[in-house]
Amino acid sequence: MPGQSHDARTKAGSLGLTETGLGLLVGRSPAMCELQGLMLQVGPSSASVLIVGESGVGKELVARTLHALSPRSEGPFVGVNCAAIPETLLEAELFGHERGAFTGAEARRAGCFELANHGTLFLDEMSLLPPASQAKLLRVLEERSFRRLRGAEEIKLDVRVLAAMGQDPELALRRGEVRADLYYRLNVFTLRVPALRERLEELPLLVEHFVRELGRANGKRLQGASPAVLEALERYPWPGNVRELRNVVERAVILAADGGEIGLEELPPHFLPPSPTPLGTAAVEPTSADGVAGTPTLEATLRDLILRTLAVTGNNKTQAAKLLGISTRTIYNKLRAWSLPLQPAAHENQ
Ligand SMILES: Nc1ncnc2c1ncn2[C@@H]1O[C@H](COP(=O)(O)OP(=O)(O)OP(=O)(O)O)[C@@H](O)[C@H]1O
Ligand SMILES: [Mg+2]
């Protein structure tokens, strides 16, 4: 199903604060310590929590950790990415349907709410729910019961709802993208996950964590990253946050020699300091076949930039547009012009 992840293996092992973080959430900068302290307080309650932060900061990891900290941890954790589901399927996806509720509905199907019963429902990109679905969601939260599409039976619910948003909730409210009543219902607590650039002191710990994790996954034993690599990583603004860092480390782990250390050569070119070679000599890397005499054209550079940003945002075009300071429509137009597929945003599920 698009945008849906469902599993019950969320128990985050030994859940408590350690020197490296809280459960699976690595990081002990002052900003992260504050977040983790709040998580330890609100986790065990049944309160709704709104998790706010840029793309790739770890909102889903925070949600899974809150679930693991709660008395519902043995119950299911169901994640649904509201942005990834076509509007026409949303209500069927959330509330389920009876047989024959619409063309193609050949059997009764449980929706996310029902699947999450006695557990936690995580609504990712909540602000992208259409207003009608927001109203219906609010009704379910208040009445603690719902009906499947075309269903007569009123089903009782015992679900904790966690919601995530990539943008500032106050702004979304002012723009009318989020219903105020739903916002105040979900916003019993707001947890802000800081951007990676606001906690660069965590880079060495995160890099070490990912080198170990991805080394294991790729069958390599590595010594970590060189000081020059850490310096280069610290100079970068990380628009795609921890997800982007994980991708950079994964690439480096694959390129690095077994038993060795990750060096500058294993980083993508945009991490390397500009070379002091004078203009006009062989300093320009022939990055694209579209270029003339090794110099990439503006169009090729734009294409590279857009594709790289989409990779960072998990193919989320709205976020990519925001990061690049262009309109979402421009991204769609460009992808169409380059005959590239316009897939919906993938749901990150790890
Ligand atoms: N503090 C952290 N420690 C370890 N891994 C992390 C941390 N933060 C994020 N990650 C990893 O980075 C990736 C992105 O995290 P996650 O999916 O939770 O971000 P997100 O905020 O939900 O992103 P999006 O807004 O795109 O949905 C995942 O692989 C996650 O495991
Ligand atoms: Mg997410």
Side-chain angles (χ1 to χ4, degrees), residues 59-60 122 124 243 347-348:
K59 296 186 293 297
E60 176 154 351
F122 174 52
D124 204 354
R243 176 178 299 115
H347 182 63
E348 267 287 321

PDB file of all heavy atoms in Angstrom, residues 59-60 122 124 243 347-348, ligand 2:
ATOM      1  N   LYS A  59      12.276  12.348  12.503  1.00  0.00           N
ATOM      2  CA  LYS A  59      10.942  12.436  13.113  1.00  0.00           C
ATOM      3  C   LYS A  59      10.323  11.047  13.307  1.00  0.00           C
ATOM      4  O   LYS A  59       9.710  10.768  14.315  1.00  0.00           O
ATOM      5  CB  LYS A  59      10.012  13.314  12.251  1.00  0.00           C
ATOM      6  CG  LYS A  59      10.477  14.769  12.159  1.00  0.00           C
ATOM      7  CD  LYS A  59       9.479  15.638  11.430  1.00  0.00           C
ATOM      8  CE  LYS A  59       9.333  15.297   9.964  1.00  0.00           C
ATOM      9  NZ  LYS A  59      10.569  15.509   9.182  1.00  0.00           N
ATOM     10  N   GLU A  60      10.514  10.188  12.306  1.00  0.00           N
ATOM     11  CA  GLU A  60       9.930   8.854  12.434  1.00  0.00           C
ATOM     12  C   GLU A  60      10.630   8.051  13.537  1.00  0.00           C
ATOM     13  O   GLU A  60       9.986   7.304  14.276  1.00  0.00           O
ATOM     14  CB  GLU A  60       9.991   8.109  11.100  1.00  0.00           C
ATOM     15  CG  GLU A  60       9.472   6.698  11.240  1.00  0.00           C
ATOM     16  CD  GLU A  60       8.916   6.097   9.963  1.00  0.00           C
ATOM     17  OE1 GLU A  60       8.766   6.810   8.958  1.00  0.00           O
ATOM     18  OE2 GLU A  60       8.632   4.888  10.003  1.00  0.00           O
ATOM     19  N   PHE A 122       1.054   6.639  13.478  1.00  0.00           N
ATOM     20  CA  PHE A 122       1.954   7.762  13.190  1.00  0.00           C
ATOM     21  C   PHE A 122       1.544   8.394  11.861  1.00  0.00           C
ATOM     22  O   PHE A 122       1.675   7.785  10.808  1.00  0.00           O
ATOM     23  CB  PHE A 122       3.399   7.254  13.129  1.00  0.00           C
ATOM     24  CG  PHE A 122       4.396   8.299  12.693  1.00  0.00           C
ATOM     25  CD1 PHE A 122       4.457   9.530  13.325  1.00  0.00           C
ATOM     26  CD2 PHE A 122       5.283   8.041  11.657  1.00  0.00           C
ATOM     27  CE1 PHE A 122       5.378  10.496  12.926  1.00  0.00           C
ATOM     28  CE2 PHE A 122       6.209   8.998  11.246  1.00  0.00           C
ATOM     29  CZ  PHE A 122       6.257  10.228  11.888  1.00  0.00           C
ATOM     30  N   ASP A 124       2.427  10.815   9.261  1.00  0.00           N
ATOM     31  CA  ASP A 124       3.553  11.609   8.751  1.00  0.00           C
ATOM     32  C   ASP A 124       3.023  12.634   7.753  1.00  0.00           C
ATOM     33  O   ASP A 124       2.078  12.338   7.026  1.00  0.00           O
ATOM     34  CB  ASP A 124       4.543  10.656   8.064  1.00  0.00           C
ATOM     35  CG  ASP A 124       5.936  11.233   8.044  1.00  0.00           C
ATOM     36  OD1 ASP A 124       6.100  12.392   8.447  1.00  0.00           O
ATOM     37  OD2 ASP A 124       6.849  10.515   7.621  1.00  0.00           O
ATOM     38  N   ARG A 243      19.341  11.903   7.246  1.00  0.00           N
ATOM     39  CA  ARG A 243      19.181  10.944   6.137  1.00  0.00           C
ATOM     40  C   ARG A 243      20.275  11.158   5.098  1.00  0.00           C
ATOM     41  O   ARG A 243      20.853  10.207   4.572  1.00  0.00           O
ATOM     42  CB  ARG A 243      17.809  11.081   5.482  1.00  0.00           C
ATOM     43  CG  ARG A 243      17.713  10.138   4.274  1.00  0.00           C
ATOM     44  CD  ARG A 243      16.379  10.151   3.573  1.00  0.00           C
ATOM     45  NE  ARG A 243      15.326   9.741   4.466  1.00  0.00           N
ATOM     46  CZ  ARG A 243      14.355  10.539   4.856  1.00  0.00           C
ATOM     47  NH1 ARG A 243      14.319  11.792   4.432  1.00  0.00           N
ATOM     48  NH2 ARG A 243      13.427  10.118   5.666  1.00  0.00           N
ATOM     49  N   HIS A 347       7.995   6.472   0.956  1.00  0.00           N
ATOM     50  CA  HIS A 347       7.898   6.555   2.402  1.00  0.00           C
ATOM     51  C   HIS A 347       9.135   5.922   3.003  1.00  0.00           C
ATOM     52  O   HIS A 347       9.445   4.782   2.714  1.00  0.00           O
ATOM     53  CB  HIS A 347       6.662   5.828   2.897  1.00  0.00           C
ATOM     54  CG  HIS A 347       6.511   5.933   4.386  1.00  0.00           C
ATOM     55  ND1 HIS A 347       6.330   7.137   5.001  1.00  0.00           N
ATOM     56  CD2 HIS A 347       6.551   5.000   5.351  1.00  0.00           C
ATOM     57  CE1 HIS A 347       6.246   6.941   6.307  1.00  0.00           C
ATOM     58  NE2 HIS A 347       6.389   5.649   6.543  1.00  0.00           N
ATOM     59  N   GLU A 348       9.844   6.700   3.818  1.00  0.00           N
ATOM     60  CA  GLU A 348      11.038   6.170   4.484  1.00  0.00           C
ATOM     61  C   GLU A 348      10.576   5.266   5.604  1.00  0.00           C
ATOM     62  O   GLU A 348       9.785   5.649   6.429  1.00  0.00           O
ATOM     63  CB  GLU A 348      11.848   7.319   5.070  1.00  0.00           C
ATOM     64  CG  GLU A 348      12.914   7.818   4.161  1.00  0.00           C
ATOM     65  CD  GLU A 348      14.068   6.841   4.069  1.00  0.00           C
ATOM     66  OE1 GLU A 348      14.416   6.247   5.096  1.00  0.00           O
ATOM     67  OE2 GLU A 348      14.607   6.678   2.975  1.00  0.00           O
TER      68      GLU A 348
HETATM   69 MG    MG B   2       9.488  10.557   8.000  1.00  0.00          MG
END
